[in-house]
Every structure is written in C-alpha cells, then in structure tokens.
Amino acid sequence: MLYHKYKPLAARVYCTGLALLLVLSEVFSSNVQDTLPGFSRIMRLGLTGCAVLLLAGKIILLTGYEARWQKVLIAVVLVYTAFSSWYGGDLWFFLAALIGLGAKDVDWETALRVYLVTAVAGLVLVQALHFATPLMPYKFYCRNWDFGYGHYNGFGARLVGVFFAWAWLRHDKPAITAFDWAGLAALAIFTYKVPGSRGAFGGMAVLFVLFFVQKFLPRLFDSKIFYGLALALPVALAVFSLYAGYVYNPEWPYERMALLLLSIALSGRFEIWHNVFWSAPLSLLGGLPTDGDEHHAIDNTFLAVPMNKGLLGAVLVAAVFLLLLWRLAKKHRSTEVICLAALTLYLFMENKPFLLSANPVLLMLPVVFFNAETGKAQSES
C-alpha cells in the first residue's frame, strides 16, 4: 500500500496542511481582510484549497486503515460536515473534520510543534502589522482593543490555542522547566490583563492549576473519580446553560440574585443566552448564525452548536466529545483528559470549538473514529 511506502511523507503532508490552515486563521482571518480585500480573498482561497487537497490526500492515499468500515465512516463524516458547513456558513466545521481524520498515524508531538511554531509566528506577524502599519487597523468597537482580529475575544481565542498546545506538548516531558511554567503563567496573566479575555483566561488558569497539581499528585487524576467528573462536566455545563438562559429574566433579574451575580461575573452572558437562544427557531439541521451583531452572537458552545449545526449536529458533536473523553479515560490518558476538561470550561464562555487556532485538541480525534493509540504510540502502531 502507498501508506507503508510513504509513511514518513504522510506526516509531512499532514503538518503542511495543518500549517496552512493556521496561517489562514492567524493571519488572513484578521483585519487585513478589510484593508487588502482582493489579496486576502486570493490568499484565503489558496490556503484553504491547498490545505484541503493535502489533508484529503493524506486521508485517502497516505493513511492505513484496519477495516473497510473505517473508510465508510470517513466518507460519511466528510460528507455530513461538508453539508453542515455549507448550510450553516461555518467552513471550519468541515476543516476540523479533515484535521481530526488526517491526524491518524501522525505523532502528536510533531504536529503540536508545527502548530505551536506556526501559531506563534502568525500572532507575532499580525501584532507587528497591527501596531506598526495601517494594514490592520482597529476595526470593532468594544470595551478593549481588538489587536487586529476585530474583537478582543478573537485575539484571546488564538492565545488559548498557543497556551493549550504549549502546555500539552511540554507537560508530560520529564525535562519540563521553570521557563515553561513561568511562560504559561505569563501568557495567562497577559490574556487577562491586556486583551481582557476572561473566558480565555479561565480556560488557561484551570489547565495550569490542574497540570501543576498533577505533577505532584498524579494518582489523583488517574482515577475513576476524576474521569467520572470529567465525563460529567460537559453534560452538567450543557444542562446549566439551557437552564440559566431559560429562567433568567432580563426585565427583572433580581428575582434570582445568585443567577444575576453569576451572570455579571460572566459578562452578562445569561441575558444573551435568554434573548438569543430561547428566541431562536431551532431545527434539525440548524443554519442559524451565532456570531456577528448582538442579535445573533452567543458566547456559549453548548448553545451555539444546536443553533448553527441543528439538533442533529448537537447530538453528533456531543457524542464525539463524550466518546473521546471516555476512550481517553479508558486508556488512562489523564493529561489529555485534563486538556479536554479545561477546554470544556473555556467553551462554556465562547463558541469557537472548530476553529483550529483556538483548539489544538482536534488532533485527538483519531481516538474517537479509529480508537487509535495516543501520542508516539499512534505513529508507531
């Protein structure tokens, strides 16, 4: 098979596609689209097309499969995500599927290094252009500076991706240094103090604390109790999101003071959930916008997915996420489970689960679709 003959090539093809999509997200999804619209459109089409060809080629020609049903599953996943992306206007849903399926038999460490280098380079370039040139002007009125991405939470989402990739890559290393801990802490503090993206900071803080405690008490996290809590967390947050948005009364919020105080702490999100989600005409296939103006934007993945992907998409996405958590727990991969738990809390505050630059854990998806091994074992199996 081509897979066995060109196995080293497969990783390079995948990482090249990964890097192209990161450039698309980090650089050409910034405010440069307004100042150089023609050039940006050409670059976005070129980067997207090349990345899709590379990742699809890797999936079809350069990946080994153990059973025929896996090929059928791949076709179903790609067809469904392509349709849902077109119907809901969210191309990253389809791209996320390509990233996840293409990661089979690719060493996570190699892919994470490429992710980290490309993401950091893209962020530095955008900030340099934003502050030193007129190419990326301040675009969107908000309480904080937008840092070239139209909104401070767009900048925060990209910082989250760097933080999670850095922490995940270095955490299980025996040689993790004080520099890593200090750098991660500095990045989290910067995210809170400078762009003021509290959702991003919350996810970073949870991941940092759990990783730090795990270094001293590893058995605490490699236990049925922790894995059970991690599995229950997304379910509990989804139920709470529905409940809080439903019962919150924006006309007289004082009748539930606890909810009001929590909503204030979460930047008034409960009122948004009430006004946007519970007035939305939900359907099987979705298609509703979840970004843009105040009438559509909803900063909560658990509510945004059923709006944009529909009830069917919400069930499928939830099933994939819970199956990923369960299989990682069965493999005693406590580090990856911690990453997903922290990501869950971040997504409780934001709605970008399929944006590559905000979610490096998309690389874990082969565990769901192929029950693949993790880390280096995946590439050596």
Side-chain angles (χ1 to χ4, degrees):
M1 289 179 62
L2 285 174
Y3 163 68
H4 296 292
K5 186 176 180 180
Y6 298 111
K7 189 173 182 181
L9 176 63
R12 291 194 290 270
V13 168
Y14 178 80
C15 289
T16 302
L18 188 73
L20 291 177
L21 289 180
L22 282 166
V23 173
L24 171 68
S25 177
E26 301 284 354
V27 179
F28 290 99
S29 294
S30 67
N31 295 352
V32 74
Q33 296 178 86
D34 295 328
T35 53
L36 298 174
F39 176 71
S40 296
R41 178 174 175 78
I42 292 172
M43 291 301 298
R44 287 176 63 84
L45 289 172
L47 288 167
T48 304
C50 290
V52 169
L53 288 175
L54 287 170
L55 293 174
K58 194 276 176 186
I59 292 169
I60 297 170
L61 300 175
L62 299 173
T63 302
Y65 300 103
E66 293 74 33
R68 184 172 296 178
W69 66 263
Q70 293 179 341
K71 299 179 181 179
V72 176
L73 176 63
I74 288 170
V76 171
V77 170
L78 292 179
V79 169
Y80 169 72
T81 54
F83 169 78
S84 183
S85 294
W86 167 78
Y87 193 79
D90 180 15
L91 178 61
W92 282 104
F93 189 44
F94 173 64
L95 297 177
L98 286 174
I99 293 161
L101 294 173
K104 186 179 187 296
D105 301 325
V106 174
D107 176 25
W108 283 359
E109 291 185 10
T110 301
L112 279 173
R113 289 191 191 98
V114 172
Y115 182 106
L116 195 57
V117 170
T118 310
V120 170
L123 276 171
V124 170
L125 175 62
V126 168
Q127 296 316 299
L129 294 175
H130 180 56
F131 287 102
T133 76
L135 289 177
M136 296 188 185
Y138 180 80
K139 175 184 176 183
F140 187 82
Y141 174 77
C142 53
R143 64 182 175 86
N144 289 347
W145 200 257
D146 73 348
F147 294 89
Y149 287 105
H151 196 281
Y152 58 93
N153 280 335
F155 183 47
R158 288 157 176 87
L159 294 177
V160 162
V162 170
F163 187 96
F164 271 66
W166 184 358
W168 181 19
L169 177 64
R170 295 292 295 166
H171 180 65
D172 281 341
K173 294 288 188 182
I176 186 171
T177 64
F179 171 80
D180 293 306
W181 291 114
L184 290 168
L187 181 57
I189 294 170
F190 173 85
T191 303
Y192 181 74
K193 289 291 188 180
V194 180
S197 183
R198 286 183 282 181
F201 169 74
M204 293 177 180
V206 169
L207 185 62
F208 184 93
V209 170
L210 292 180
F211 270 0
F212 190 80
V213 174
Q214 188 194 27
K215 276 297 179 184
F216 300 97
L217 300 171
R219 291 186 180 180
L220 178 66
F221 295 91
D222 191 15
S223 65
K224 291 182 178 179
I225 294 177
F226 171 71
Y227 293 139
L229 290 173
L231 278 164
L233 179 62
V235 177
L237 290 179
V239 172
F240 179 77
S241 299
L242 292 167
Y243 167 79
Y246 182 74
V247 303
Y248 189 84
N249 182 5
E251 296 180 359
W252 186 251
Y254 305 101
E255 61 185 0
R256 290 182 172 87
M257 284 301 299
L259 277 181
L260 174 60
L261 294 175
L262 184 56
S263 180
I264 293 172
L266 299 178
S267 304
R269 278 172 166 77
F270 294 175
E271 182 174 355
I272 298 173
W273 300 352
H274 177 87
N275 291 333
V276 176
F277 180 81
W278 285 106
S279 63
L282 298 179
S283 64
L284 184 65
L285 298 178
L288 300 174
T290 57
D291 248 329
D293 59 36
E294 65 274 14
H295 302 295
H296 300 110
I298 182 164
D299 291 334
N300 181 300
T301 293
F302 301 101
L303 303 180
V305 169
M307 288 177 62
N308 187 258
K309 308 295 180 289
L311 299 177
L312 174 62
V315 170
L316 293 175
V317 170
V320 167
F321 192 81
L322 291 173
L323 183 58
L324 175 59
L325 272 170
W326 180 74
R327 284 186 165 171
L328 287 171
K330 292 281 287 184
K331 296 173 185 292
H332 297 275
R333 299 292 301 195
S334 57
T335 293
E336 283 72 30
V337 172
I338 289 173
C339 284
L340 289 173
L343 179 70
T344 301
L345 290 169
Y346 168 66
L347 295 178
F348 176 69
M349 296 276 286
E350 302 296 342
N351 68 350
K352 295 288 187 291
F354 310 113
L355 181 66
L356 174 61
S357 56
N359 188 4
V361 301
L362 291 170
L363 299 174
M364 298 182 190
L365 287 178
V367 176
V368 176
F369 296 110
F370 312 110
N371 200 19
E373 293 299 324
T374 54
K376 279 192 174 295
Q378 183 188 168
S379 61
E380 295 169 356
S381 60

